[in-house]
C-alpha cells in the first residue's frame, strides 16, 4: 500500500479513517454545543406508585442541533465513548442538575430528587469526587437529593474502583441506583456488595410483563429479591395503567414512564410548575 504514495489512506483503512473523521467531527460539534447552550435536560417524573406522589425526576440529555434539530442521546452518546467530550457533557450535566435542584427549591418543591445518568468515563475520572465537593460548597447541601444512575456495564469495568468511589460519594450524601437492571453482563453476586438504594428494572421487562410469562416472573422475582436485600425498585417504561396496577400489586415502590409522564423539557417544566404554584 505504501508505494501508492501520497498521504491518502489505503483502502483497507478507509472505513476506520471515515469513522475517525466522523468522531472528530462529532467531538467538535459537541464542543460547540456546550459553548452555545445546545444541550439541555428533559426531566421525566418519577412517582410513588401507591400514593401517586411526585418523588423526583430523571434528567435525560437533549441536544437541539442548529441544523440537524433534535439529536437523540442514543445516537451520539455511544459514539463519544472514551472521549473527553463525554466527560465534558457529564460535568455540564452534573452542574445543571444542581441548578435544577436550586430552581425547584425556589418554587417550593423541596423534596424532589434528581436522578443523573453517570457514564463510565465519569466513574473512571479522578476529577469526579473533587468536582462534586466543589458543587456542594457552591450550591449547598443538595447531595441527598441527587441519585446517580449506573449501568451494570459501567460497574463491571472496574468493580473495586467503583465500590471505593461509591462509598466515598455516599459519605458526601449522594446515592446510587442501578439502571437497566437485568440487561447487563454482571452476576447477582455483586449486588450484595453494592452500596445502592435503588434498582431500576429495565423497561423491556415491564413492556412484556402482562403478556409474557417470563417477563412477569423476572419482574416479580426481581422486586422480591431487591426488597429482601433492603433496596427499593423503580419500574421504567410504564406505558399503561394495567402495568401500573400490576406493579403496585407486586409492591414496586416507584414508577416512571410515558403513562405517568413523558420527559418534559426543563423550560416547559418550570413554566408548568410555577403556574401550578400560583394557582
Ligand atoms: P435510560 O437511562 O434507560 O433512560 C430511559 C429512556 O427511556 C429515555 O430515553 C426515556 O425518554 C425513555 N422512556 C421513558 N419512559 C418511556 C416509556 O414509557 N416507554 C419507552 N419506550 N421509553 C421511555 P432517552 O431520553 O432517549 O435516553 C436514552 C438513553 O441515553 C438513556 O437510557 C441513557 O442511557 C442515555 N442518556 C440520556 N441522558 C443521559 C445523560 O445525561 N448522561 C448519560 N451518560 N447518558 C444519558
Ligand atoms: Ca437512566
Ligand atoms: Ca434505564
Ligand atoms: Ca436504557
Amino acid at each position: 500500500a505504501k508505494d501508492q504514495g501520497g498521504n491518502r489512506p489505503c483502502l483497507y483503512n478507509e472505513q476506520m479513517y471515515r469513522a475517525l473523521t466522523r468522531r472528530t467531527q462529532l467531538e467538535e460539534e459537541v464542543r460547540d454545543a456546550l459553548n452555545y447552550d445546545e444541550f439541555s435536560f428533559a426531566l421525566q417524573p418519577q412517582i410513588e406508585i401507591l400514593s401517586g406522589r411526585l418523588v423526583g425526576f430523571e434528567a435525560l440529555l437533549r441536544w437541539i442541533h442548529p441544523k440537524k434539530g433534535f439529536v437523540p442521546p442514543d445516537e451520539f452518546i455511544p459514539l463519544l465513548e472514551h472521549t473527553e467530550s463525554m466527560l465534558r457533557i457529564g460535568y455540564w450535566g452534573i452542574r445543571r442538575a444542581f441548578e435544577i435542584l436550586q430552581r425547584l427549591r425556589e418554587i417550593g418543591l423541596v423534596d424532589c430528587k434528581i436522578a443523573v445518568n453517570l457514564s463510565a468515563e465519569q466513574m473512571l475520572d479522578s476529577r469526579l469526587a473533587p468536582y462534586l465537593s466543589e458543587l456542594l460548597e457552591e450550591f449547598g447541601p443538595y447531595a441527598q437529593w441527587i441519585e446517580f444512575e449506573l449501568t451494570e456495564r459501567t460497574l463491571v469495568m472496574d468493580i473495586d474502583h467503583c465500590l471505593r468511589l461509591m462509598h466515598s460519594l455516599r459519605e458526601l450524601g449522594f446515592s446510587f441506583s442501578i439502571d437497566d437492571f437485568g440487561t447487563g453482563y454482571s452476576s447477582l453476586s455483586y449486588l450484595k456488595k453494592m452500596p445502592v438504594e435503588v434498582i431500576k428494572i429495565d423497561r423491556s421487562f415491564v413492556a412484556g410483563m402482562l403478556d409474557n410469562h417470563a417477563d412477569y416472573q423476572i419482574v416479580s422475582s426481581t422486586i422480591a429479591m431487591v426488597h429482601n436485600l433492603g433496596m427499593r425498585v423503580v419500574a421504567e417504561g410504564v406505558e399503561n395503567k394495567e402495568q401500573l396496577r400490576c406493579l403496585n400489586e407486586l409492591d414496586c415502590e416507584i414508577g416512571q414512564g410515558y403513562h405517568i409522564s413523558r420527559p418534559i423539557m426543563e423550560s416547559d417544566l418550570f413554566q408548568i410548575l410555577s403556574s401550578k404554584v400560583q394557582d
Side-chain angles (χ1 to χ4, degrees):
K2 255 192 183 149
D3 48 37
Q4 285 179 344
N7 43 22
R8 191 175 166 275
C10 67
L11 260 187
Y12 167 74
N13 274 329
E14 193 129 317
Q15 246 186 345
M16 269 172 58
Y17 177 76
R18 240 184 286 142
L20 209 70
T21 320
R22 199 165 156 228
R23 201 152 127 147
T24 316
Q25 204 180 339
L26 184 72
E27 287 213 65
E28 241 162 66
E29 286 183 313
V30 165
R31 214 167 306 145
D32 287 345
L34 285 163
N35 291 336
Y36 299 120
D37 257 356
E38 292 166 24
F39 287 117
S40 58
F41 274 139
L43 298 161
Q44 187 173 36
Q46 298 184 332
I47 60 157
E48 184 178 73
I49 294 177
L50 198 60
S51 63
R53 190 175 65 93
L54 176 71
V55 292
F57 299 93
E58 179 176 0
L60 295 159
L61 192 64
R62 294 293 176 260
W63 182 5
I64 315 292
H65 189 282
K67 294 205 193 80
K68 292 186 246 179
F70 170 59
V71 189
D74 283 336
E75 274 176 29
F76 65 93
I77 288 178
L79 294 172
L80 293 174
E81 250 177 53
H82 312 308
T83 66
E84 181 71 19
S85 295
M86 197 56 231
L87 277 173
R88 293 191 54 190
I89 294 175
Y91 286 124
W92 171 88
I94 293 173
R95 167 170 278 277
R96 182 58 70 99
F98 273 84
E99 290 167 357
I100 290 170
L101 276 172
Q102 189 170 47
R103 288 188 69 187
L104 288 173
R105 251 131 239 276
E106 279 163 13
I107 59 171
L109 271 179
V110 293
D111 49 9
C112 269
K113 274 196 165 189
I114 304 280
V116 179
N117 293 284
L118 267 197
S119 66
E121 290 76 12
Q122 279 176 289
M123 276 307 273
L124 295 177
D125 189 61
S126 59
R127 290 165 289 183
L128 180 64
Y131 186 70
L132 288 170
S133 303
E134 272 170 40
L135 288 175
L136 289 175
E137 279 190 20
E138 182 181 337
F139 284 86
Y142 291 174
Q144 62 163 312
W145 303 106
I146 295 188
E147 185 174 278
F148 291 118
E149 299 195 357
L150 300 170
T151 63
E152 296 166 289
R153 195 182 64 80
T154 295
L155 288 169
V156 296
M157 275 190 335
D158 186 344
I159 192 104
D160 293 329
H161 167 79
C162 284
L163 277 172
R164 271 197 306 275
L165 184 57
M166 288 164 85
H167 281 293
S168 66
L169 296 187
R170 272 166 59 105
E171 261 163 44
L172 295 176
F174 297 99
S175 58
F176 290 91
S177 65
I178 296 180
D179 200 2
D180 302 344
F181 186 76
T183 62
Y185 315 96
S186 50
S187 77
L188 293 175
S189 69
Y190 76 92
L191 250 193
K192 65 179 182 197
K193 295 192 270 186
M194 282 291 158
V196 301
E197 273 81 21
V198 169
I199 299 293
K200 298 189 77 175
I201 298 187
D202 190 67
R203 67 167 188 260
S204 59
F205 304 117
V206 176
M209 70 184 285
L210 296 177
D211 319 299
N212 182 297
H213 180 70
D215 283 331
Y216 177 83
Q217 289 304 325
I218 289 168
V219 172
S220 64
S221 54
T222 300
I223 293 172
M225 175 186 70
V226 169
H227 286 168
N228 285 332
L229 292 170
M231 299 179 267
R232 283 175 304 134
V233 182
V234 174
E236 321 186 293
V238 180
E239 292 189 351
N240 57 57
K241 61 173 186 294
E242 291 75 25
Q243 288 164 350
L244 195 62
R245 190 180 310 138
C246 183
L247 288 161
N248 187 32
E249 273 163 21
L250 294 171
D251 292 329
C252 176
E253 286 90 347
I254 296 159
Q256 180 184 344
Y258 294 164
H259 174 66
I260 297 155
S261 169
R262 298 236 162 205
I264 307 166
M265 291 300 281
E266 271 172 62
S267 48
D268 295 337
L269 180 75
F270 282 102
Q271 219 162 359
I272 296 167
L273 289 176
S274 46
S275 67
K276 271 208 180 136
V277 172
Q278 270 163 23
D279 282 351

